[in-house]
Amino acid sequence: MVREQEFITLLHERVDVLRERAEGAVRTSLGQAAEGRQARLERDITVAEQSDRLAALNAVENGLCFGRIDLRNGERHHIGRLGISDEEHTPLLIDWRAPVARPFYLATGHTPMGLRRRRHLTTRGRRVTALHDEILDLQETEPGLRTGFEDPNDDAVLLAAVNATRTGRMTDIVRTIQAEQDHIIRAPHRGILVVEGGPGTGKTAVALHRAAYLLYAYREQLARRAVLIVGPNPAFLGYIGNVLPSLGETGVLLATVGELFPGVQATGTDSPEAAAVKGDVRMAGILRTAVADRQQLPDPAIEIRHGQENLVLDRTTAARARAGARGTGLPHNLAHRHFAARIVDALTEQLTDRIGADPLGGPNLLDASDIEQLHKEVAANHEVHAAIDSLWPRLTPQTLVADLLARPTHLPAEEAALIRRPGVDPTGLTNRTEWTAADVPLLDEAAELLGEDDSALRAAEETERRERIAYAQGVLDLSLGSRSTDFDDEDDAEVLSAHDIIDAERFAERQEQTDHRSAAERAAADRTWAFGHIVVDEAQELSAMSWRLLMRRCPTQSMTLVGDPAQTGSAAGADSWEQILGPYVGDGWQHARLGINYRTPAEIMEAAAEVRREADPAFEPPRSVRSTGVGPWTMAVEPEQLVHATSEAVAKECCAEGKVAVIAPPELHAALADAMPDASHGPEPDLTGPVVLLDARQSKGLEFDSVIVVAPERIKTGSPRGVNDLYVALTRATQRLGLIGFAPAPAEEKEG
């Protein structure tokens, strides 16, 4: 213990030095006057690298080193959350992701991988509080080495982590990664890897550690393009938010699908049925039709005043222009200029024929310059552009989707009634606009169909650049004019002016604003950003339209998908991975299964499995690693007693150590919240509080010491996949589970 404490102290002293150097490098770089674009780029790279290093060092301060491996050849390596070297670049601490660290996770007594001992260190801050040794050399005879540890297969560290009191935040499992998890974490990053596992198998933790590993193994590529982690709801993202920072990775974007359209906040809610309609892949075709419907023809014709002439834009002319614009294959807004050009050409030809016609029937009397002048005049006619815009309007995704929701004419009447939302304000300037999470994939699809004509923006940027150059030139001219005239010609030749060391364009570049945002921050603001890797948790819940959005975000299709079809609750979700991935990669994806439940005691897991077997009689749950000997308790009450009984049960559970979750149907939340004022609830509840009130969908991926499921009958019958929802609710507990339901009606009432 003393030697390990000395090492930990030395290690943190080194960290303090590295932290001070990183802070100094950032201060120095920001204080330097950058010369030109390349110098600014080098400065920004230095600042970004040192800032990332500083953030990583600060994040792993608590629990920096957690293990040691002793090799049979006498070598010894300490394993930690980051790699740390001394002044001579000799490794002091090995990053857990490095190849040399793998035996810490994979070695066993039967396959020791060259190890004689594996040591687990427990620290609190910078102080070692406990050691635990595993002897992997079964012939080890060193006196006292086995003290307190006689069974090489014992895994006291894992069991301690499994039984630990929950904090309301997921913690990393870097100290206890199991062999089956390690193989998944270190799998190659190319292609799509599906990680399937039942409740408590650690699939979310594995996915997060995989993201950290990929950022380590492919740092240059992924740090530049960023990694996106998609979660089912904001509460879940808050729950997992500390995991990657604790592993030294801070440049990852965490978001729900509803947060992936910059400028839109999805604060509204849909009914499950409406979300299912919006999530159906048919909506992609309906949006294409909606765009085509906006590319109209005049009925019968549009008269346009041009000077003393009346030009006529008829259906035939407009139809030819529309066909030509569509033939470019460009998105709607980008094809607008092609449509406009064809209309202007046709109207110019009409005007030319009228003005230049030879009364005697000869060739047109206008020459090429005359025709070019007429073309310019037609192109400048506001009435011409008004006619063009009425037939081929420029659209925004918000306008298109808002119109579709107000008038969903391309859907069957029953489905149209589900999603109809009149009065949506596409500008977002009034309180009437409440985009929902199911709207975001529609907005993204619309953005792809419409495209963004940025020609005006680029022209404005070029104008602004030229103005900066002109201003810079004026400054340099003033500098030249202010040179002293007291020198003779020979002396004057030796004096350098501003013109000698910098020109106006370089001087203007210095005035440009520098973007210090990280790759993740830039990605969050850019709808077209292509991520290096995407991790999707609860992937089975996403709709077909959501998958179209995500596939566009990762053209290389480098993804890790995590989920369990047995837990699918959303009506828009999928029942199989083939259903999700078939349209994109066929069978070209890898599948890994986690079969050991580290969270739920066997007694609770078996009770939950019985519920799941109602939908699938052959269902087999993951195997629990522990048994507490305590099964779920149940209570049956009259409907009017339900809220009071729940409040009393929560009070009793709060006497025990740990976090308590009440999982109930949404329609009961208002009454339960009134009866439990200390319980956190709502769209983004505080999971670190002692009691939290959730519905079954909100509880996905979360875990608590104690769980009380209220009105399980209503949860089961509350949706087409209610059995799955109840299965999810029953598998959130790590220690204790209770069910409070309705007492059965008397026999005579049942008969009546």
Side-chain angles (χ1 to χ4, degrees), residues 270-283 419 438 543 570-573:
D270 279 309
S271 69
E273 296 79 10
V277 173
K278 291 180 180 180
D280 194 293
V281 72
R282 290 176 300 153
M283 294 300 296
I419 71 168
S543 70
S570 171

Side-chain angles (χ1 to χ4, degrees), residues 236-266:
F236 177 84
L237 294 179
Y239 176 68
I240 68 172
N242 292 336
V243 174
L244 285 168
S246 74
L247 299 175
E249 298 297 345
T250 57
V252 177
L253 177 62
L254 278 68
T256 65
V257 170
E259 296 170 321
L260 291 178
F261 195 91
V264 167
Q265 293 184 334

Side-chain angles (χ1 to χ4, degrees), residues 156-203:
V157 176
L158 173 62
L159 291 177
V162 168
N163 286 306
T165 301
R166 269 41 193 173
T167 64
R169 290 286 182 266
M170 178 180 280
T171 57
D172 64 69
I173 60 168
V174 68
R175 299 174 66 240
T176 60
I177 293 173
Q178 303 300 292
E180 66 167 358
Q181 297 171 331
D182 185 81
H183 289 301
I184 295 172
I185 289 170
R186 297 174 190 263
H189 86 292
R190 291 292 183 187
I192 296 177
L193 173 64
V194 172
V195 182
E196 182 177 341
T201 53
K203 55 187 179 294

Side-chain angles (χ1 to χ4, degrees), residues 390-412:
S390 70
L391 299 177
W392 194 291
R394 290 183 175 88
L395 301 171
T396 67
Q398 290 90 332
T399 300
L400 183 66
V401 175
D403 287 348
L404 176 63
L405 295 177
R407 293 177 296 277
T409 55
H410 297 290
L411 281 169

Side-chain angles (χ1 to χ4, degrees), residues 250-505:
T250 57
V252 177
L253 177 62
L254 278 68
T256 65
V257 170
E259 296 170 321
L260 291 178
F261 195 91
V264 167
Q265 293 184 334
T267 57
T269 56
D270 279 309
S271 69
E273 296 79 10
V277 173
K278 291 180 180 180
D280 194 293
V281 72
R282 290 176 300 153
M283 294 300 296
I286 289 172
L287 283 166
R288 281 195 298 272
T289 301
V291 172
D293 286 348
R294 303 299 289 270
Q295 299 164 359
Q296 299 178 350
L297 300 177
D299 185 17
I302 300 175
E303 289 192 3
I304 300 170
R305 188 68 180 171
H306 185 74
Q308 301 300 315
E309 301 289 337
N310 280 330
L311 302 178
V312 178
L313 177 53
D314 57 30
R315 288 180 66 86
T316 301
T317 300
R320 282 198 294 265
R322 184 174 71 174
R326 287 177 173 177
T328 65
L330 293 171
H332 173 86
N333 287 334
L334 298 182
H336 177 279
R337 61 178 177 268
H338 294 273
F339 178 77
R342 285 167 168 80
I343 295 296
V344 170
D345 288 347
L347 293 178
T348 301
E349 183 179 354
Q350 183 182 135
L351 185 62
T352 300
D353 290 343
R354 187 179 302 173
I355 295 177
D358 184 349
L360 301 179
N364 195 289
L365 300 178
L366 300 178
D367 60 21
S369 62
D370 295 329
I371 295 173
E372 181 181 358
Q373 181 60 35
L374 289 177
H375 188 279
K376 290 180 180 179
E377 292 173 358
V378 171
N381 188 322
H382 294 297
E383 288 194 29
V384 170
H385 286 284
I388 291 171
D389 289 342
S390 70
L391 299 177
W392 194 291
R394 290 183 175 88
L395 301 171
T396 67
Q398 290 90 332
T399 300
L400 183 66
V401 175
D403 287 348
L404 176 63
L405 295 177
R407 293 177 296 277
T409 55
H410 297 290
L411 281 169
E414 184 177 347
E415 293 181 327
L418 289 172
I419 71 168
R420 184 176 291 111
R421 199 164 74 228
V424 174
D425 174 16
T427 67
L429 299 178
T430 74
N431 293 329
R432 291 181 297 161
T433 300
E434 277 197 321
W435 296 111
T436 70
D439 291 333
V440 166
L442 303 184
L443 291 168
D444 195 74
E445 189 79 24
E448 289 293 310
L449 294 170
L450 296 176
E452 183 178 357
D453 186 355
D454 61 352
S455 56
L457 176 62
R458 285 188 279 109
E461 290 176 345
E462 177 62 19
T463 299
E464 183 181 354
R465 188 182 75 86
R466 293 186 179 279
E467 289 175 351
R468 285 199 305 268
I469 293 174
Y471 175 79
Q473 186 65 57
V475 172
L476 293 176
D477 290 343
L478 287 174
S479 171
L480 179 64
S482 64
R483 292 176 60 185
S484 173
T485 57
D486 294 337
F487 301 107
D488 57 30
D489 290 341
E490 183 177 351
D491 291 334
D492 196 34
E494 299 298 323
V495 179
L496 291 176
S497 73
H499 284 276
D500 295 318
I501 59 177
I502 190 171
D503 59 23
E505 186 168 358

Side-chain angles (χ1 to χ4, degrees), residues 665-696:
E667 64 268 19
L668 297 178
H669 280 207
L672 289 170
D674 288 341
M676 301 182 299
D678 293 334
S680 178
H681 60 95
E684 298 184 44
D686 179 9
L687 301 179
T688 64
V691 182
V692 62
L693 174 61
L694 306 167
D695 61 41

Side-chain angles (χ1 to χ4, degrees), residues 579-640:
Q579 181 181 347
I580 293 172
L581 298 174
Y584 303 101
V585 295
D587 59 357
W589 48 279
Q590 301 297 315
H591 185 264
R593 185 182 297 275
L594 296 169
I596 300 176
N597 187 335
Y598 300 99
R599 174 205 301 151
T600 317
E603 295 80 5
I604 295 177
M605 195 66 230
E606 183 54 35
E610 286 299 318
V611 170
R612 185 67 185 80
R613 290 188 184 111
E614 294 182 22
D616 179 7
F619 174 75
E620 287 298 326
R623 179 176 60 85
S624 297
V625 299
R626 64 196 174 101
S627 174
T628 62
V630 179
W633 57 263
T634 61
M635 180 188 301
V637 299
E638 298 297 331
E640 63 272 13

